[in-house]
Amino acid sequence: MLSARSVFREILDQDESFRLFCSIAASGEAQGGWENGRIAALVPEGERALAPKIARHGADEDKHGRIFHALLKKRGLRPVAVPHETDYTMLLEKHGIGLAHEQLKADKPLTVPDIVTYLAHSRVTEQRASEQMRLLLRHFADHPDIGRAVRMISADEDNHLAYCHEELLRFARAGHGRAIQRTLRECALAEIRVYRDVSLSVMDHMGRLLHWPHAKRQLLTGGIHAMYAAERAGGWRRMVSLRMPERRDALGGPATAAPELA
């Protein structure tokens, strides 16, 4: 029977597909770490209290990248070059979502609207990350190779999402509510398209590595398109709602150390 668990199991059990999976994940996390690090350095003077939380977010992303590299090393594998069409973070930037890398490479301080844009982008992408890790957690929390990593990363992603909710609500109370909702909607609608395209590309690469039959590829492709249709019809709204999280100040402390996985 074809299921998310069976598909992920195939990917995790074969060295080349596992290599691609971890390489894509590590690349995206490293990119997120760099982006958050630059944003923390460029936070406007009036919002400097936010800088340590943004830096903590970046440190977590860097840690996740190291974890995926450690998982590869544990299997005796080296990272592989990430195919352009599977690079989620790069494609989001190409679609104008979040802050442009050229802006982050400069030394000019960001503005409050820039920080609102960053937080709205993060709220959308962290929703996706949290959901993906909860899916892996449901099926592989006790997996001998990746279980420990999945548990740690899932907890971190939930913290990141909570932090985005809390900070966006703070900015909404300060008068940025309309800008926040507009930016969240734009980000969400762009993200679901990028996620669809990246998912199709990743499944295509995995299908070739795992020699999936045509019928299986078609079934998985159909599932991805069906998910996009559901998100386009209204599922995207889960990415734009804001509510005060149960855990307050989720990024208020230092980043937790990565477990020794290699």
Side-chain angles (χ1 to χ4, degrees), residues 84-215:
H84 172 85
E85 64 275 13
T86 68
D87 194 331
Y88 173 78
T89 53
M90 183 274 295
L91 290 172
L92 284 173
E93 187 203 1
K94 184 178 178 181
H95 283 75
I97 302 305
L99 301 179
H101 286 187
E102 286 305 312
Q103 182 179 8
L104 297 182
K105 290 175 183 176
D107 289 327
K108 183 179 178 181
L110 299 172
T111 65
V112 169
D114 289 332
I115 297 299
V116 168
T117 295
Y118 149 70
L119 286 168
H121 168 233
S122 295
R123 186 264 176 269
V124 170
T125 55
E126 292 298 339
Q127 177 79 37
R128 182 74 70 185
S130 177
E131 290 171 355
Q132 287 182 317
M133 292 312 302
R134 287 189 180 198
L135 176 64
L136 288 174
L137 188 66
R138 185 160 65 247
H139 296 304
F140 299 105
D142 297 323
H143 190 281
D145 292 329
I146 70 164
R148 192 177 180 190
V150 166
R151 293 193 299 273
M152 171 170 276
I153 296 173
S154 181
D156 285 346
E157 301 297 6
D158 288 346
N159 282 341
H160 299 168
L161 186 57
Y163 145 79
C164 291
H165 276 273
E166 185 172 4
E167 295 302 330
L168 282 169
L169 286 170
R170 179 174 68 84
F171 278 106
R173 290 193 298 271
H176 299 277
R178 287 188 178 181
I180 289 169
Q181 283 303 315
R182 181 180 66 252
T183 307
L184 283 172
R185 186 179 190 279
E186 291 172 355
C187 287
L189 291 175
E191 193 279 342
I192 63 173
R193 290 194 301 271
V194 169
Y195 183 73
R196 174 201 60 192
D197 294 344
V198 168
S199 296
L200 290 170
S201 297
V202 170
M203 284 301 108
D204 181 60
H205 283 279
M206 294 300 180
R208 282 188 271 115
L209 289 173
L210 294 166
H211 307 292
W212 284 340
H214 179 71

